[in-house]
Amino acid sequence: MPSAGPAPVRGVGAVVVAAGEGHRFGASRPKQFVDLCGMPVLAWSVRTLVHHPGVGRVVLVLSPPRAASPPDWLPDGVLVVPGGVFRADSVRAGVEALAGSVETVLVHDGARPFVSAELVSRVVDGARSGPVVPVIAIEDTVKRMDEGGWIEETLPRERLRRVQTPQGFPAAVLNRTHALDDAGAWEARDAAAMTDDALLCERLGIGVATVEGDPANLKITTANDLALARAMVETGLIAAGK
Ligand code: C5P
C-alpha cells in the first residue's frame, strides 16, 4: 500500500486573531480584509493552517459584527468566534473556544499572511515541550530614546530578536495564563500592553523557547507592508494563493 505521508499530529489547535481595527493601516476596512493578489490578507494564513496536516482545528477570531456574518471564503470546519477590545481578549476567546479539546495551541496574527507550512511544523514540534516563539535576528543597530526623542542608549543586538507568530503553547500553559480567576495571571495581565502571548509566560516565570522564524512571514501593518506583500507574490517569492 502506498504511504499516505507522515501521520497527522493529533491534538493541535490554531487560534487566528483578526478582530483588530488596524488604525495604523489607514484604509476603510481593517488590513486583514484587504485584497492581497486575489484573496483577503487573512485568507492566506487561514488556508495554510487548515491544510497543515499537523493542525486539527482552526478557530478564527473576528470582531463581533464580522463574526455574526462570517466571510464567504472561509474554509469548511473553521470555527468563528467574536473577539474582544484588546488582542489578549481576542486570544482568550479563541482559546476558550478550543475548550480543552487539544493538547497544543498555536496563536497566529491574521495580519501575517505568509506563514509557511514549514514554520508551522517547527512551532508545533517546539511546543510539545513548552511555550515557543519564532524569532528573527536584528540587522539594524537598535537604540532607545527618551520621551523627547534624544538617544539614551545603544542596545547590544546580538541577543535581541524580532518575534513572529504563530507562537506555540501546551494548552495547559495557555489556559493558565489566560485564566482570569488565577490571582497570579490576573496580576501579570495588562491587556493593552500584551502585544504577544509569550509575554504572560515571561511575567509568570514560565520559560519560553525559540525556533528560527521566517523573514517572509511579514506582518502587514501599513500600506507599505501591503505593497511589499503584493510584490512578493508578483515576483514569485511567495507562491500565489489558490
Ligand atoms: O494591532 P496589532 O497589529 O498588533 O494586532 C495583531 C493581531 O491581533 C491582528 O491580527 C489583529 O486583528 C488582532 N487583534 C484582535 N483583537 C483585538 C486587537 C487585535 O484580534 N482587539
Side-chain angles (χ1 to χ4, degrees):
M1 221 171 93
S3 160
V9 181
R10 289 218 172 72
V12 178
V15 173
V16 180
V17 283
E21 297 296 333
H23 294 300
R24 286 165 293 177
F25 187 66
S28 55
R29 49 190 168 155
K31 60 199 174 185
Q32 59 271 30
F33 297 100
V34 170
D35 176 77
L36 171 54
C37 303
M39 26 181 221
V41 165
L42 177 60
W44 287 76
S45 62
V46 169
R47 284 184 186 205
T48 301
L49 288 162
V50 164
H51 291 138
H52 194 285
V55 177
R57 188 132 183 83
V58 177
V59 176
L60 176 60
V61 188
L62 297 175
S63 65
R66 285 181 191 271
S69 51
D72 53 12
W73 53 259
L74 208 63
D76 286 346
V78 175
L79 180 67
V80 175
V81 297
V85 176
F86 297 109
R87 183 187 179 283
D89 303 317
S90 297
V91 172
R92 187 166 181 250
V95 171
E96 279 178 352
L98 287 169
S101 62
V102 294
E103 288 151 6
T104 302
V105 180
L106 308 185
V107 183
H108 184 63
D109 282 345
R112 289 188 189 269
F114 297 151
V115 57
S116 67
E118 293 76 18
L119 178 58
V120 173
S121 298
R122 279 205 291 283
V123 174
V124 167
D125 286 348
R128 288 210 192 91
S129 25
V132 65
V133 298
V135 297
I136 298 276
I138 293 184
E139 282 137 16
D140 298 315
T141 297
V142 181
K143 297 181 191 287
R144 188 175 60 215
M145 62 182 192
D146 66 17
E147 284 171 3
W150 293 88
I151 296 299
E152 266 181 358
E153 188 189 0
T154 300
L155 304 170
R157 69 182 171 195
E158 290 72 27
R159 286 166 59 189
L160 292 176
R161 294 292 181 270
R162 292 192 287 130
V163 177
Q164 304 184 325
T165 69
Q167 300 188 351
F169 304 86
V173 171
L174 210 51
N175 287 340
R176 188 194 153 203
T177 59
H178 282 277
L180 301 188
D181 52 358
D182 177 313
W186 180 245
E187 206 167 296
R189 197 172 198 269
D190 173 4
M194 283 169 56
T195 53
D196 82 345
D197 303 288
L199 185 146
L200 268 183
C201 295
E202 296 154 34
R203 288 195 180 162
L204 293 168
I206 302 167
V208 179
T210 61
V211 291
E212 192 63 35
D214 178 359
N217 181 27
L218 84 170
K219 182 174 173 195
I220 296 186
T221 303
T222 64
N224 213 36
D225 300 327
L226 183 64
L228 178 60
R230 286 185 175 139
M232 288 165 76
V233 179
E234 283 158 10
T235 57
L237 188 66
I238 294 290
K242 285 165 247 114

